[in-house]
Amino acid sequence: MSGVVLEPTFENHLEEGWARRALVEDVRHGLARPPFRLTPRWLYDERGSELFDRITRLPEYYLTEAEREVLRREADHIAELTGADTLVELGSGTSDKTHTLLRAFTAGDQLRRFVPFDVSEETLRDAARRVAERYPGVHVHGIVGDFTTHLAHIPTDGTPLVAFLGSTIGNLYEEERQAFLAMLGDRLAGGGWFLVGVDLVKPVERLTPAYDDSRGVTAQFTRNVLRVINRELAADFDIESFDHVAIWDPSLERIDIRLRAIGDHHVRIPGADLEVDLYDGAEIHVEVSTKFRISRIAADLERAGFAVRNVWTDRRGDFAVVLARA
């Protein structure tokens, strides 16, 4: 690639005030009546993102290192197999986890464009500038949007590879996951590639500590959703009067993360024009983390029009990275 640093470009598909309107809608829909549920996207304000970064470094949280092990070992192979000249990263954040792929794709001068895709414009712009400086000659084109609704805006000219890492796909409910994969399959139908990281089913005694660590960092992270609602919508949740609960659901093979009320609560949320009564033991569902068997993710992908080409796992068999072509 040329040694010239190219100026990043951006497109924003989120209307001004989108975040607050979406938060109000989610709170009204999720807390109006039981079963109570909040959308996990509100976990990730600045404080939540910092807490999640701490989680990924905890000894109990094996996912990040297991995926990184696979990518370090197979990145060159992925670049060779796909021949992709555009790398798209969904839910890119700081793009830190993508550097292993970026190094492999730029080593052979095959990458002409990197497309980080995220809802946070500020985070995206900072990350895009760092990537552009680190990989001269690569055009960084950031897309600000929600990957569940704005997939139509990812580029498909040339040979694109869409990366969806960190087992983020497991945070989607089954119907959401199928809709997402179907949209992506349609978008890449010209022959694009999809690289997805998935956490694998394993004994519950290894799973649950990753979502309920001994230091209580995950509990702080889960409670952060209430902190966001208090700040943005002038709510009066007593944040410390909620227990973080991580439950393994064997029938759906997923971790179900909830907040459980300690004592009775009458919560006012003026910004959403809502008042909520939560009785002792009442639970608010915050997030799921589905665990996969290879056969399950392969079936999901094939149903959406993808053909699975390769599956790689870490040495312990905890985590898989799946490469598929539309």
Side-chain angles (χ1 to χ4, degrees):
M1 285 288 179
S2 163
V4 176
V5 175
L6 303 178
E7 185 68 22
T9 58
F10 300 91
E11 54 184 275
N12 190 336
H13 298 283
L14 300 178
E15 297 176 0
E16 187 176 353
W18 167 85
R20 181 180 177 84
R21 289 194 299 273
L23 176 60
V24 169
E25 182 180 345
D26 283 351
V27 166
R28 285 176 177 169
H29 179 74
L31 298 183
R33 62 189 63 84
F36 300 116
R37 178 174 292 167
L38 290 169
T39 304
R41 69 161 65 107
W42 309 118
L43 292 163
Y44 295 92
D45 64 345
E46 183 178 356
R47 181 174 185 272
S49 296
E50 290 172 357
L51 287 168
F52 184 72
D53 183 65
R54 287 174 57 191
I55 288 170
T56 66
R57 303 171 195 276
L58 293 171
E60 296 97 331
Y61 195 83
Y62 56 85
L63 288 81
T64 302
E65 284 306 314
E67 184 177 54
R68 186 173 286 127
E69 176 192 323
V70 177
L71 292 177
R72 284 173 177 162
R73 190 183 69 224
E74 303 296 344
D76 291 341
H77 192 197
I78 292 166
E80 181 184 356
L81 278 172
T82 63
D85 57 6
T86 295
L87 175 61
V88 180
E89 183 185 14
L90 301 180
S92 58
T94 60
S95 294
D96 286 344
K97 59 182 176 287
T98 320
H99 285 291
T100 302
L101 290 173
L102 286 167
R103 285 192 294 270
F105 277 83
T106 54
D109 285 349
Q110 76 182 67
L111 191 70
R112 64 184 178 89
R113 179 170 54 193
F114 173 55
V115 183
F117 190 121
D118 202 88
V119 294
S120 172
E121 182 171 6
E122 183 177 358
T123 300
L124 192 73
R125 286 182 177 274
D126 289 344
R129 292 189 187 96
R130 287 195 297 271
V131 170
E133 291 170 1
R134 188 166 178 178
Y135 302 96
V138 175
H139 175 210
V140 181
H141 180 71
I143 298 179
V144 182
D146 182 343
F147 63 73
T148 63
T149 55
H150 297 119
L151 285 179
H153 298 285
I154 63 174
T156 57
D157 57 306
T159 305
L161 169 67
V162 175
F164 196 32
L165 303 175
S167 202
T168 305
I169 196 168
N171 299 137
L172 303 176
Y173 287 92
E174 185 171 359
E175 60 276 13
E176 295 173 326
R177 186 169 69 250
Q178 294 301 335
F180 162 76
L181 289 174
M183 286 189 293
L184 186 62
D186 287 344
R187 185 61 182 161
L188 297 179
W193 295 85
F194 182 43
L195 188 72
V196 59
V198 293
D199 194 19
L200 300 176
V201 174
K202 57 185 64 64
V204 66
E205 60 268 19
R206 290 211 54 229
L207 278 171
T208 50
Y211 298 91
D212 194 7
D213 66 278
S214 58
R215 295 170 176 80
V217 181
T218 314
Q220 294 179 57
F221 176 66
T222 306
R223 291 190 193 103
N224 193 59
V225 73
L226 302 182
R227 195 178 304 277
V228 169
I229 295 171
N230 279 359
R231 183 185 68 235
E232 299 297 327
L233 302 181
D236 58 0
F237 278 102
D238 181 359
I239 295 168
E240 297 305 317
S241 294
F242 285 85
D243 277 335
H244 161 83
V245 181
I247 298 171
W248 172 245
D249 184 334
S251 61
L252 296 174
E253 295 189 319
R254 71 188 188 194
I255 296 284
D256 195 336
I257 298 170
R258 311 171 185 180
L259 289 168
R260 182 178 292 159
I262 304 169
D264 298 339
H265 297 256
H266 179 75
V267 182
R268 298 173 179 82
I269 313 177
D273 193 24
L274 184 68
E275 297 191 15
V276 183
D277 286 306
L278 293 159
Y279 300 103
D280 185 40
E283 293 181 337
I284 302 172
H285 295 253
V286 177
E287 188 173 36
V288 296
S289 184
T290 299
K291 307 306 169 187
F292 293 88
R293 300 179 188 273
I294 299 299
S295 57
R296 180 180 187 180
I297 188 63
D300 284 352
L301 288 165
E302 288 164 8
R303 192 178 301 117
F306 289 95
V308 174
R309 294 296 178 87
N310 287 80
V311 179
W312 301 281
T313 65
D314 66 297
R315 64 185 182 278
R316 295 191 62 170
D318 283 337
F319 198 95
V321 175
V322 182
L323 178 66
R325 191 167 196 179

